[in-house]
Each structure stands twice: as structure tokens, then as C-alpha cells.
Amino acid sequence: GRVVALGLVPSLLITTTGRRSGQPRGNPLLYVRDGDAFVVAGSNWGQARPPAWALNLLADPAATVTVAGRRVPVRAHLATGAERDRLWGLLVREWPAYDTYVDRAGGRPVHVFRLTPAG
């Protein structure tokens, strides 16, 4: 898989449950903070299909993120409407290439998730 620009942007490792396999699946992602939550985008580098981890979150919103060596159980919420617009703005400020990825995706919606610590 592709590697997030570790050290250049805030990065985390998300572990989801495979929607078909039921097995844990880990992916490095860029994130931004929104209060105590982590915000991530299912851009898949602008490919025509969404990334598997995003589809896994849609099937089961329970996940774990590892940030700076600390594991945090989270619950994913798919942002829509004004909330999505606000969170998208935070993501694009951190990584302007997200706008390019939207163009490359050819109209495929880029999912934006707010990952809130569980418990």
C-alpha cells in the first residue's frame, strides 16, 4: 500500500474490521483533530473506488486508531452536509491535495469520517 507522508503531516494507523473477512485491517492515514475526535477522508488518492477501510467503517463503525504509540478505540461517524463541509475544510488546510483527489475520483463522493473516542 501507499505510505502517508509520516513526519510531514499528522498520521495515525486505523484498524478496522474487514467487512468480508472479519479480520483486522490496518491503514496509515492523514488526520486532523476536531476537539477530541480524529477526522479522516476516504480519498484513496483519487481513485475511482473508495478505500476498503472506509467501506469497512460504513459496515462497522467500531475501530481503533494508534497515534504516537497510543491505541484509542473509536466510533466512526460519516459526516454529511454542513458538518462535512466544515471538516473537509480542516482536512484541505492540512493537505491541499485532497481537492485534486476529488477531481481525480471523477465524481465519486469522498467519505469524511469523524472518529470519536469510545467510552
Side-chain angles (χ1 to χ4, degrees):
R2 298 188 188 213
V3 176
V4 173
L6 297 172
L8 300 177
V9 295
S11 302
L12 58 76
L13 176 68
I14 189 167
T15 303
T16 60
T17 301
R19 66 194 180 286
R20 287 185 267 194
S21 70
Q23 298 299 308
R25 303 291 182 211
N27 296 91
L29 301 175
L30 177 151
Y31 76 95
V32 295
R33 293 299 296 242
D34 184 45
D36 66 343
F38 308 91
V39 179
V40 295
S43 67
N44 207 15
W45 304 91
Q47 295 181 35
R49 295 181 188 193
W53 66 262
L55 297 174
N56 291 344
L57 284 181
L58 292 172
D60 179 358
T64 301
V65 297
T66 304
V67 180
R70 188 172 141 247
R71 291 175 49 88
V72 180
V74 295
R75 186 136 187 101
H77 162 74
L78 178 64
T80 60
E83 177 190 33
R84 185 199 183 279
D85 294 344
R86 181 181 69 79
L87 298 176
W88 182 255
L90 296 175
L91 287 161
V92 170
R93 273 195 289 285
E94 186 64 48
W95 190 253
Y98 275 132
D99 281 335
T100 302
Y101 300 161
V102 168
D103 293 340
R104 280 192 215 156
R108 171 184 66 81
V110 173
H111 298 108
V112 174
F113 295 94
R114 189 170 191 276
L115 309 172
T116 304

